Amino acid sequence: VPEPKNADSYDYARYHPINEIYSFQDMLVAENPKLVSKIVIGKSYEGRPLNVLKFSTGGTNRPAIWIDTGIHSREWVTQASGTWFAKKIVDDYGRDPALTAILNKMDIYLEIVTNPDGYYFSHTSNRMWRKTRKPNPGSSCIGVDPNRNWDAGFGGAGASGSPCAETYRGPKANSESEVKSIVDFVKSHGNFKAFISLHAYSQMLLYPYGYTKTPCKDDTELHSLAKKAVTDLASLYGTRYRFGSIINTIYQASGGSIDWSYNQGIKYSFTFELRDTGRYGFILPTNQIIPTATETWQALMAIMNHTYKNPY
Amino acid sequence: KETFEGHQVLRMYAKNEDQLALINDLEDNHEFELDFWRGVTDVRTPVDVRVPHHNLRSIKIHLESNAIDYSIMIGDLQAMLDEERMEMVSAAR
């Protein structure tokens, strides 16, 4: 199979194994050295690099936006969308006034394969794999749900203490290097203003909290921003999203990423559940990838633009 | 390589909180080896669950005996995965 020669010839409308996504990242950096760089923030349990693409037009420690896709490995449309976002950022900088203004003041960090071991495993051994791949001592069941492993209500209701459960929280907060690497990176950076995690599927845009019924102090603003974002998203294909706090919109979930990021002081913390055609679940057909990414980009831009225009 | 021959994804529709609680109990019951694709939220939102072939009959009987409505969202998961794999290979070519 011939490798794509450049980021233009990469096929964004299909699912790619991890080595091709890694190659794509390197190509994008090589082709856009003044805008894109790759930071390795850590290693997965099996030793794969945790790559983050940094989109920056200069400056030092600028206010920044974090986006991660694919923490649950089987949600392939999220990694595919993340790849599309990376190219979109490169293509739109200097062309789209809103994105250009954002990038002239802020940096964007994008982790496309947030759970690389799980993603590799979902391609090679078990398409339905969701968790990390670290063994659990005393159990034959492997892995931790990396979206129950954050230090935000960790161990509370809405996560399992059983290693065999799909929502196993792990032995302690940040036990997974895939989570701890982000935690360390975000803390050491210290200037993130938005933190956005993308999941699939069920068409929702959610904000904190998931572990407690207590509304977050910015509930009103986040609610209104979520409403604007889902309206923009629907403008392309009419895809309807629900929105609200995690606990009120879906169910109690403890140890989630955006509860942690919000508690770190990152006000604009959101998580997406991408498109659900109603029949495919995690096996979203490839002809849905670009429509999904395109509509999601509208909502991402709404959140990023609001973050840019409302410094804090 | 783990395969999913005959696995179905059932979409369950609870009519009330009691039925929702029954579906919720299934999530804690590891005996059925269920994989909740879309978890229990409220009565307006269906629950999607992957059921291994060897437990399909028992789950369907359980749902029917409790008058819980369901539909088959995916009839044979492995057939879909085979199709996905073939599409990936042919697109790569």
Side-chain angles (χ1 to χ4, degrees):
Chain A
V1 176
E3 289 282 323
K5 290 187 174 61
N6 52 50
D8 282 327
S9 62
Y10 187 88
D11 188 353
Y12 296 88
R14 71 176 175 90
Y15 297 117
H16 292 262
I18 194 163
N19 61 318
E20 292 180 13
I21 297 180
Y22 281 152
S23 301
F24 162 80
Q25 292 172 337
D26 291 335
M27 278 190 300
L28 202 69
V29 171
E31 291 167 18
N32 304 276
K34 289 184 178 163
L35 180 61
V36 194
S37 55
K38 183 178 84 176
I39 302 171
V40 182
I41 62 167
K43 278 186 174 179
S44 66
Y45 170 74
E46 291 176 346
R48 294 185 176 84
L50 300 169
N51 293 341
V52 175
L53 292 179
K54 177 185 179 184
F55 300 86
S56 177
T57 57
T60 309
N61 198 231
R62 281 180 165 180
I65 293 162
W66 172 272
I67 302 170
D68 62 79
T69 55
I71 200 168
H72 289 144
S73 42
R74 65 188 178 184
E75 298 169 0
W76 283 7
V77 74
T78 64
Q79 294 93 346
S81 295
T83 311
W84 187 92
F85 300 151
K87 185 67 164 66
K88 180 71 173 165
I89 293 169
V90 164
D91 287 347
D92 278 7
Y93 178 67
R95 290 182 192 154
D96 175 68
L99 181 72
T100 305
I102 292 167
L103 277 170
N104 283 339
K105 189 178 163 192
M106 308 180 79
D107 296 337
I108 299 174
Y109 291 83
L110 173 62
E111 186 173 6
I112 296 174
V113 191
T114 309
N115 175 4
D117 296 347
Y119 188 65
Y120 177 82
F121 198 71
S122 72
H123 274 265
T124 54
S125 300
N126 181 341
R127 175 66 181 86
M128 289 298 109
W129 194 259
R130 163 192 168 95
K131 301 194 282 184
T132 62
R133 289 294 302 159
K134 192 159 85 174
N136 294 302
S139 170
S140 59
C141 295
I142 302 279
V144 166
D145 179 344
N147 202 34
R148 299 290 187 280
N149 190 239
W150 302 69
D151 194 5
F154 179 82
S160 174
S162 162
C164 295
E166 291 291 351
T167 56
Y168 176 48
R169 63 181 181 244
K172 60 178 185 180
N174 301 335
S175 63
E176 304 309 285
S177 64
E178 296 81 357
V179 171
K180 176 125 188 348
S181 299
I182 300 174
V183 167
D184 291 346
F185 180 71
V186 168
K187 279 185 169 175
S188 70
H189 182 284
N191 204 14
F192 276 98
K193 300 299 180 187
F195 189 105
I196 307 163
S197 294
L198 278 80
H199 294 252
Y201 63 101
S202 55
Q203 295 179 197
M204 287 183 283
L205 177 55
L206 307 168
Y207 52 82
Y209 285 111
Y211 71 88
T212 174
K213 277 258 179 203
T214 307
C216 70
K217 67 178 169 21
D218 300 296
D219 187 89
T220 308
E221 183 182 357
L222 297 186
H223 192 82
S224 124
L225 176 52
K227 186 175 185 182
K228 155 89 172 121
V230 303
T231 305
D232 288 2
L233 184 152
S235 68
L236 280 190
Y237 303 105
T239 308
R240 297 179 70 174
Y241 267 49
R242 288 193 291 150
F243 61 95
S245 69
I246 297 170
I247 197 165
N248 286 332
T249 312
I250 43 173
Y251 39 68
Q252 186 166 20
S254 58
S257 65
I258 65 158
D259 284 356
W260 173 82
S261 59
Y262 185 81
N263 284 346
Q264 293 298 303
I266 305 174
K267 175 159 69 164
Y268 300 115
S269 290
F270 286 96
T271 184
F272 280 81
E273 292 282 350
L274 301 187
R275 179 184 280 224
D276 166 17
T277 61
R279 287 188 293 151
Y280 299 104
F282 302 116
I283 324 293
L284 200 66
T286 49
N287 63 11
Q288 298 281 314
I289 294 173
I290 290 177
T292 303
T294 314
E295 69 184 8
T296 307
W297 181 251
Q298 307 301 313
L300 282 177
M301 277 300 294
I303 295 169
M304 293 196 291
N305 210 17
H306 184 92
T307 307
Y308 162 71
K309 288 180 172 166
N310 293 273
Y312 63 94
Chain B
K1 185 159 186 162
E2 188 163 346
T3 55
F4 300 87
E5 277 89 6
H7 288 221
Q8 291 189 344
V9 180
L10 303 183
R11 178 158 280 185
M12 304 174 185
Y13 308 87
K15 286 191 278 286
N16 51 46
E17 292 296 328
D18 290 344
Q19 290 194 345
L20 215 52
L22 284 169
I23 298 174
N24 208 21
D25 289 344
L26 286 173
E27 193 162 11
D28 299 326
N29 186 339
H30 296 302
E31 181 193 335
F32 288 123
E33 302 166 64
L34 303 178
D35 173 15
F36 277 69
W37 281 20
R38 178 149 70 168
V40 174
T41 53
D42 53 51
V43 288
R44 293 168 301 158
T45 312
V47 180
D48 298 338
V49 185
R50 175 173 62 85
V51 187
H53 182 254
H54 57 271
N55 283 328
L56 265 176
R57 194 176 141 76
S58 341
I59 282 293
K60 287 179 178 175
I61 289 171
H62 181 76
L63 294 174
E64 284 156 15
S65 64
N66 287 288
I68 298 173
D69 292 338
Y70 68 91
S71 62
I72 297 170
M73 180 172 132
I74 295 176
D76 181 357
L77 181 59
Q78 189 57 43
M80 281 188 70
L81 296 181
D82 291 343
E83 206 172 301
E84 183 184 65
R85 172 62 57 181
M86 281 176 64
E87 197 179 1
M88 277 181 77
V89 171
S90 82
R93 284 196 187 115

